[in-house]
Amino acid sequence: MDVIVGEDGLARPAWASSDPLLQEYYDTEWGMPVRDERGLFERLSLEAFQSGLSWATILRKRENFRAAFAGFDPDTVAAFDEDDRARLLQDAGIIRNRAKIEATIRNAAATVSLRGEGGLPHLIWSYRPQRTPVPRTMAEVPTTSDESRAMARELKRRGFSFVGPTTAFALMEAVGIVDTHLVDSHRRGASGLWRPDGGAVQDG
């Protein structure tokens, strides 16, 4: 088993057991349903910035990202101009990666353009599978799925970038579309969307 029982008696995976920031994120947010446009745009953006880095690095800069990207309001970010791009590239509080900054602005515009066709929440949640993984060890936790590959293809078709199958799956994990909490974790099933056997709660 890959869980660690903390001083509070609760079992968590190793990645959420040592750093207090990661533990709080794991205990209160990761895997809980997010269905609003701004919330999903923020998490999609942060997952893209995380590519090649640790999630702890992103969490420590999260409030800086929110300040830099206008609270991840898609309309505001989509209207960012060259002055905004220059400001972001000089902002030591975020990840100063030009390609990821450009992708976030482009993805904001793509998010706005989706509103006439159901919106970003509808698109992302349409890839919720009928079953979720039931991992007992970290080695059993997948990094992609048929659904994440299909989601990444569709997002790219809609004008999004920095959203490959791995990033799409990480997003699905973060916002509750799948539950990859280890079976013995105290957070397994916390979203209310999945049965212990991995089947979907149909009214979730």
Side-chain angles (χ1 to χ4, degrees), residues 138-149:
M138 290 304 298
E140 294 177 1
V141 178
T143 56
T144 62
S145 67
D146 289 344
E147 291 81 10
S148 80
R149 287 185 282 273

Side-chain angles (χ1 to χ4, degrees), residues 54-71:
S54 73
W55 185 243
T57 297
I58 300 301
L59 276 186
R60 290 190 183 97
K61 294 177 178 287
R62 190 176 191 178
E63 291 307 316
N64 298 333
F65 274 111
R66 285 173 168 168
F69 285 96

Side-chain angles (χ1 to χ4, degrees), residues 82-124:
E82 289 307 313
D83 287 342
D84 291 301
R85 288 170 167 82
R87 168 181 60 82
L88 291 166
L89 284 169
Q90 294 170 9
D91 189 342
I94 65 170
I95 306 300
R96 292 178 287 183
N97 179 297
R98 185 184 295 274
K100 293 177 180 180
I101 289 170
E102 291 289 350
T104 303
I105 297 170
R106 189 161 50 248
N107 291 350
T111 296
V112 171
S113 71
L114 276 174
R115 290 175 183 161
E117 301 177 61
L120 184 64
H122 173 75
L123 188 154
I124 287 177

Side-chain angles (χ1 to χ4, degrees), residues 6-67:
E7 293 181 0
D8 55 7
L10 300 177
R12 302 176 181 87
W15 70 264
S17 297
S18 56
D19 186 316
L21 189 63
L22 284 173
Q23 181 173 309
E24 180 183 7
Y25 174 68
Y26 181 81
D27 284 352
T28 63
E29 184 176 354
W30 190 71
M32 295 304 289
V34 177
R35 299 180 185 271
D36 65 291
E37 180 189 75
R38 187 183 297 210
L40 287 169
F41 174 60
E42 174 183 343
R43 286 157 179 80
L44 180 64
S45 301
L46 293 179
E47 292 291 349
F49 271 103
Q50 187 270 334
S51 179
L53 302 169
S54 73
W55 185 243
T57 297
I58 300 301
L59 276 186
R60 290 190 183 97
K61 294 177 178 287
R62 190 176 191 178
E63 291 307 316
N64 298 333
F65 274 111
R66 285 173 168 168

